[in-house]
Amino acid sequence: MSASGPKRAERLLNLLQILYQHRYPVSGHWLAQELSVSLRTLYRDICALRVQGADIQGEAGTGFILSRSHHLPPVMFTPEQLDALALGLRWVAAYGDAGIAKAASEVTGKIRQGLPPQLKTLFDDSTLLVGKTQVAHHNPENLNSLRSAIRRRQKIRTGYTDRSGNVSERTIWPFALGYFSGDIVLAAWCEKRNAFRHFDVTRLTSLQLVQEGYPHSRYRLLRMWRNAGLDNTIPGRS
């Protein structure tokens, strides 16, 4: 395995980015394979980054981890990464609700502010475009409340009207919002059905936050939902 391939500066940045994505020590062998370099080259790169001020902890045999206090410079993006950012932010602006679209615009401004002129041009002129279709009207207050409940792990009491027009009262544990092209779907545990359910947020009424938190973290609920195979289905709403 040779040290050829990406230029050294780009390789060092890639190494930093890989380490930044991991919360636990990563073995030198795995890092070397990811970067397509020899283990010896990897160790030299880690030494070089430490000299430049990167707080990389660990050693050969135990693995390496980047201190969470270390911040990557926001200007260091590849052209492909800039395209990904531009496409993602444009999609959010087109299909997100008003609050999320506003946040996407703010993030776009922050990214542009930190880019050098040549990268700013690449970011602004990205030709990855998002087609616009008719988007359903969503109550911004409801969506703000739903996002708050998810972050704070709060139960919600709400009325819900299904596709057949049947109205029911539900107490649910919201843990995820799915943004589709024009629709926003809430994934939650429903106490009434004693099961995971998906709710079209435009059909939620009289939404009330409950001070009582639900017993699991949202991340655990998300894992349980995925393990149930629901992430690979078209959301059924009931």
Side-chain angles (χ1 to χ4, degrees), residues 94-96 130-138 180-184 202:
Y95 293 112
V130 175
K132 182 77 171 180
T133 60
Q134 184 174 0
V135 178
H137 173 72
H138 298 100
F180 300 88
S181 55
D183 294 319
I184 303 177
T202 62

Side-chain angles (χ1 to χ4, degrees), residues 54-75:
D55 186 8
I56 300 175
Q57 303 168 5
E59 58 186 13
T62 63
F64 300 92
I65 185 170
L66 182 66
S67 169
R68 304 312 291 174
S69 62
H70 183 89
H71 297 286
L72 294 180
V75 297

Side-chain angles (χ1 to χ4, degrees), residues 2 31-32 36 62 133 150 162 225 235:
S2 73
L31 289 169
S36 299
T62 63
T133 60
I150 291 171
D162 65 20
W225 174 72

Side-chain angles (χ1 to χ4, degrees), residues 12-26:
L12 293 178
L13 175 60
N14 288 340
L15 175 56
L16 271 179
Q17 291 175 327
I18 292 171
L19 287 171
Y20 195 74
Q21 293 168 6
H22 290 81
R23 296 184 179 182
Y24 303 101
V26 187

Side-chain angles (χ1 to χ4, degrees), residues 27-69:
S27 74
H29 287 283
W30 186 86
L31 289 169
Q33 290 179 350
E34 282 292 295
L35 295 167
S36 299
V37 298
S38 68
L39 194 57
R40 183 176 180 180
T41 297
L42 174 77
Y43 291 152
R44 285 203 302 264
D45 287 350
I46 288 175
C47 288
L49 287 172
R50 283 171 169 167
V51 169
Q52 295 174 24
D55 186 8
I56 300 175
Q57 303 168 5
E59 58 186 13
T62 63
F64 300 92
I65 185 170
L66 182 66
S67 169
R68 304 312 291 174
S69 62

